[in-house]
Amino acid sequence: MSPATTVIAPDHVVTQRSRAALWVIHGGAWLALITYCWTAWIVSGDFNTNTIGRGQEPDWYVALMRGWEVFALVCTVMIIWTFVVRPKLRTGRFSFDGLFVIACGLMFFQEPWINWTSYQFLYSTTSINFGSWLSHIPGWSYPHAELVPVSLWAGTAYFWLVAIPAMAGSKFMGWLTRRRPGISKLNLIAVTYLAFCAFDLVLESFITRTNLFSYGSVIPSLSLFAGTDHQFPVYETVSWAGTYVFLACVHFFRDDRGRSLPERGIEAFHVGDRVKTFFRLLAIVGMCQLSILLTYNIPYQLYALHSQMSPVYLEQPWRLGGVCGPGTNFDCPGPGVPIPRSDSETNRTR
């Protein structure tokens, strides 16, 4: 191949650089928002462990939670060492997988956004928690959001239950393309999506059965085991599998230089290598934040309009955490129950 055929046209370089700049700015905006909200949460005094209901849960549940938290910590340390720290020590640079794992970890920021307009997803005050940063998010709607006991293990799970499955999905896509060289991108994504649906259904069936977290408010007609303490909305799998396949596509569809879509063009920036690496991280962070926002958190606000709290949770204060239900000024979601705003004193009509 002659040298002339390998030269990228200047206008193409400019276009890629401009697109990359937008991705970097977009990711930077997300990182700024995350930094602001978490800092405000810590310095405001809302960074407190929610212990409402502790001591009322079964002993087996306490033992399970403590064991699970240790398991989560070990998994997280291993993943960060394997994909982030060790490659950096060996090569002096962060690998794509390392940046991808970090970006997936930061998706934890949107973990409790499912509760933006209605209290749907329940953690447990039994778990290690420090309340939540939700009330410090501009535009947040649901009241008493600082009490939502976001489990610390749920944050670590974005490394081992999000990043790792997404990378596994990328490998699955590679396997499919080798097995069926002529497969279209649409079919490749569709098959991977269905595989993630099966994976998520098995995974979350275990988690909800053990009450590690719970879908408190669901649409009963679209849920399995509705009315029990392990009810499971089928649309959860529909949405979360979408997040998984989005992330798998980010990881899989890279060019011959190993660059994911938002990174392409960053190499043309006239900055040092360390700054370029940081810009790459910002671009990937922005893409990962979009994945959960578009496929999960926005659709869930529509589901929330038709959801209702199972009565079984009203008798389990360690799940509700004082956000709604008995002993509070707010009724939990249900038919005829007004949706409160952050400045509402109550949503009770009588």
Side-chain angles (χ1 to χ4, degrees):
M1 182 179 293
S2 65
T5 61
T6 63
V7 176
I8 301 177
D11 57 337
H12 189 196
V13 173
V14 171
T15 300
Q16 278 202 336
R17 187 168 57 196
S18 299
R19 290 175 179 172
L22 290 176
W23 279 113
V24 171
I25 293 170
H26 172 249
W30 275 106
L31 187 59
L33 179 62
I34 294 170
T35 302
Y36 164 76
C37 291
W38 282 350
T39 301
W41 171 41
I42 292 171
V43 303
S44 68
D46 290 339
F47 189 78
N48 295 306
T49 300
N50 184 341
T51 60
I52 295 174
R54 276 193 185 179
Q56 300 181 46
E57 63 275 75
D59 290 341
W60 68 263
Y61 183 71
V62 177
L64 173 67
M65 184 62 71
R66 295 296 168 260
W68 187 256
E69 288 168 337
V70 172
F71 168 78
L73 178 61
V74 172
C75 287
T76 302
V77 171
M78 290 177 60
I79 290 169
I80 292 176
W81 168 256
T82 302
F83 294 101
V84 181
V85 178
R86 187 169 63 181
K88 179 67 166 63
L89 293 176
R90 285 181 173 178
T91 66
R93 296 183 297 178
F94 287 103
S95 65
F96 172 80
D97 281 348
L99 297 178
F100 184 77
V101 164
I102 294 171
C104 285
L106 288 172
M107 289 170 62
F108 176 48
F109 176 63
Q110 288 195 56
E111 159 71 12
W113 283 24
I114 180 177
N115 297 316
W116 194 296
T117 56
S118 180
Y119 200 30
Q120 302 179 81
F121 189 77
L122 309 182
Y123 302 93
S124 168
T125 60
T126 307
S127 66
I128 297 173
N129 76 88
F130 300 97
S132 85
W133 55 93
L134 296 177
S135 60
H136 299 282
I137 298 174
W140 184 262
S141 179
Y142 205 79
H144 290 331
E146 70 281 356
L147 293 177
V148 176
V150 181
S151 302
L152 185 59
W153 78 259
T156 68
Y158 276 80
F159 295 106
W160 46 279
L161 283 183
V162 177
I164 296 302
M167 289 192 286
S170 175
K171 288 186 176 296
F172 178 70
M173 295 172 84
W175 177 81
L176 280 176
T177 54
R178 290 190 298 272
R179 187 176 178 85
R180 297 178 56 188
I183 189 171
S184 67
K185 288 184 178 179
L186 181 60
N187 286 339
L188 178 64
I189 293 171
V191 172
T192 305
Y193 174 80
L194 292 176
F196 273 128
C197 283
F199 170 75
D200 182 78
L201 188 60
V202 172
L203 171 67
E204 298 211 56
S205 292
F206 164 74
I207 292 178
T208 53
R209 275 284 181 176
T210 53
N211 300 150
L212 290 168
F213 58 59
S214 306
Y215 294 94
S217 298
V218 301
I219 303 174
S221 61
L222 298 179
S223 302
L224 302 176
F225 317 113
T228 69
D229 68 349
H230 54 274
Q231 59 186 8
F232 181 74
V234 176
Y235 48 85
E236 161 67 17
T237 288
V238 172
S239 289
W240 193 248
T243 306
Y244 272 139
V245 79
F246 192 121
L247 293 171
C249 287
V250 173
H251 192 279
F252 178 74
F253 290 112
R254 287 181 282 162
D255 61 18
D256 54 2
R257 298 172 63 179
R259 302 174 303 175
S260 62
L261 177 63
E263 298 174 86
R264 297 168 193 173
I266 290 178
E267 72 281 351
F269 292 174
H270 300 297
V271 294
D273 288 342
R274 290 185 178 180
V275 176
K276 285 182 181 178
T277 299
F278 181 59
F279 283 172
R280 289 177 60 207
L281 175 62
L282 290 180
I284 298 169
V285 164
M287 182 66 90
C288 289
Q289 293 294 332
L290 276 185
S291 72
I292 188 172
L293 179 68
L294 297 179
T295 64
Y296 190 79
N297 279 321
I298 289 179
Y300 247 98
Q301 305 319 307
L302 300 178
Y303 306 146
L305 298 176
H306 308 282
S307 68
Q308 62 184 71
M309 182 74 71
S310 172
V312 68
Y313 298 110
L314 301 181
E315 302 173 359
Q316 300 177 339
W318 61 90
R319 298 194 194 284
L320 296 178
V323 179
C324 68
T328 74
N329 294 330
F330 296 92
D331 286 332
C332 294
V337 178
I339 297 176
R341 301 190 308 183
S342 59
D343 59 351
S344 299
E345 295 183 2
T346 184
N347 66 339
R348 293 196 171 110
T349 56
R350 54 186 173 84

